[in-house]
């Protein structure tokens, strides 16, 4: 028998899903840290004069861009345990699922970050870096005091969009059994034997919508503040 729509169930699902927000943000934070390390390496390879390194980075980015996120997640989830079992005779079947989610999302996110870094580098050029060196700044001080603040301001809009995309891509984690917000929502539906599915998904949509608006607001304020600071330094 079809159940009538129940607005109360939206609130009930909301209360049950919210406690798992920490898992979702743990995935996002872990992904950002690992992806940043990979992206810096990719950026270095793309800017290298070594043709092999440049070719490897280009091939990596093209493959990642053409691979659906869920396919890559399953490749990592099923592939890494088999790889470690074959090479090191190590059984990773009981490793925390969050590790596989972070690895797969980092592979995806790092490709975007590397391209953002490259576009910022091309937009800024070397003029300001060379000017900073000419007034006596060391290379590291020129990078951290002159180049990075301005580059970060240029990159902020793309970084914000990429972070929001990553935040939503993380909802795929439930497909391998990780209980984050999306996983909690699906558990609620299964425990109700498929009932209140619409209400549960509406609750999830509201949570994701609200968190996305918060992230957008933070990036807008951060961009405004940093632009003001950069302009004041230039004056």
């Amino acid at each position: 028998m079809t159940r009538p729509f129940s607005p109360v169930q939206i609130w009930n699902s909301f209360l049950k899903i919210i406690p798992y927000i920490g898992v979702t943000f743990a995935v996002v934070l872990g992904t950002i840290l690992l992806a940043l390390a990979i992206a810096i390496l990719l950026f270095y390879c793309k800017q290298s004069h070594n043709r092999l390194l440049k070719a490897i980075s280009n091939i990596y980015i093209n493959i990642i861009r053409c691979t659906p996120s869920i396919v890559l997640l399953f490749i990592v989830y099923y592939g890494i345990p088999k790889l470690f079992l074959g090479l090191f005779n190590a059984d990773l079947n009981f490793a925390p699922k969050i590790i596989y989610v972070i690895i797969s999302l980092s592979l995806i996110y790092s490709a975007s970050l590397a391209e953002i870094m490259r576009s910022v580098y091309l937009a800024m050029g070397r003029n300001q870096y060379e000017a900073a060196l000419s007034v006596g700044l060391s290379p590291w001080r020129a990078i951290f005091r002159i180049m990075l603040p301005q580059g970060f301001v240029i990159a902020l809009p793309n970084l914000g969009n990429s972070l929001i995309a990553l935040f939503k891509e993380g909802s795929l984690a439930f497909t391998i059994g990780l209980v984050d917000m999306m996983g909690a929502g699906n558990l609620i539906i299964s425990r109700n034997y498929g009932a209140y599915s619409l209400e549960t998904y509406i609750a999830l949509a509201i949570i994701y919508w609200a968190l996305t608006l918060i992230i957008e607001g933070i990036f807008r304020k951060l961009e405004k503040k940093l632009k003001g600071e950069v302009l004041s330094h230039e004056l």
Side-chain angles (χ1 to χ4, degrees):
M1 185 177 77
T2 304
R3 295 177 183 266
F5 181 76
S6 173
V8 174
Q9 190 60 32
I10 297 176
W11 177 248
N12 292 336
S13 297
F14 182 87
L15 294 178
K16 293 176 182 177
I17 293 168
I18 281 295
Y20 293 91
I21 193 172
V23 180
T24 297
F25 276 102
V27 169
V28 172
L29 180 59
T31 299
I32 290 172
L33 295 176
L34 180 57
L36 182 60
I38 299 173
I40 291 172
L41 181 61
L42 287 172
F43 172 73
Y44 172 79
C45 291
K46 283 184 74 70
Q47 299 306 126
S48 172
H49 296 294
N50 188 309
R51 291 184 179 180
L52 179 60
L53 291 178
K54 188 175 289 187
I56 290 172
S57 63
N58 287 331
I59 291 171
Y60 171 88
I61 291 172
N62 287 331
I63 290 175
I64 292 298
R65 280 179 166 178
C66 296
T67 306
S69 303
I70 194 167
V71 173
L72 186 60
L73 176 59
F74 285 138
I75 289 174
V76 169
Y77 181 61
Y78 292 110
I80 289 181
K82 288 189 176 182
L83 181 65
F84 271 72
L85 186 63
L87 294 178
F88 310 109
N89 198 29
D91 186 4
L92 298 183
N93 288 317
F94 298 101
K97 292 180 173 63
I98 192 171
I99 294 175
Y100 300 110
V101 176
I102 289 174
I103 291 173
S104 58
L105 291 179
S106 296
L107 295 176
I108 297 167
Y109 193 49
S110 64
S112 299
L113 278 180
E115 287 300 292
I116 291 173
M117 290 178 183
R118 188 176 71 89
S119 64
V120 170
Y121 176 79
L122 293 176
M124 293 184 66
R126 292 182 57 87
N127 293 337
Q128 296 191 53
Y129 175 72
E130 292 173 354
L133 294 181
S134 67
V135 296
L137 290 180
S138 66
W140 282 109
R141 287 174 68 86
I143 290 172
F144 282 98
R145 292 191 59 184
I146 305 298
M147 302 296 286
L148 278 182
Q150 295 184 52
F152 192 59
V153 171
I154 296 171
L156 263 180
N158 286 329
L159 287 175
N161 291 333
S162 296
L163 181 59
I164 290 170
L166 168 64
F167 179 66
K168 292 187 289 186
E169 289 285 343
S171 63
L172 295 174
F174 85 96
T175 58
I176 63 170
L178 180 67
V179 185
D180 60 349
M181 291 194 302
M182 191 68 187
N186 280 276
L187 282 176
I188 293 170
I189 294 170
S190 63
R191 286 168 183 168
N192 289 323
Y193 302 101
Y196 305 120
S197 299
L198 176 59
E199 292 87 342
T200 303
Y201 286 126
I202 289 175
L204 277 166
I206 292 171
I207 294 171
Y208 276 102
W209 174 72
L211 292 174
T212 299
L213 288 180
I214 291 171
I215 293 172
E216 286 181 342
I218 291 172
F219 270 84
R220 277 198 299 269
K221 288 184 177 180
L222 188 60
E223 184 178 3
K224 185 177 180 181
K225 180 180 178 182
L226 289 178
K227 276 185 177 178
E229 290 179 357
V230 170
L231 287 174
S232 65
H233 284 307
E234 288 180 351
L235 294 174

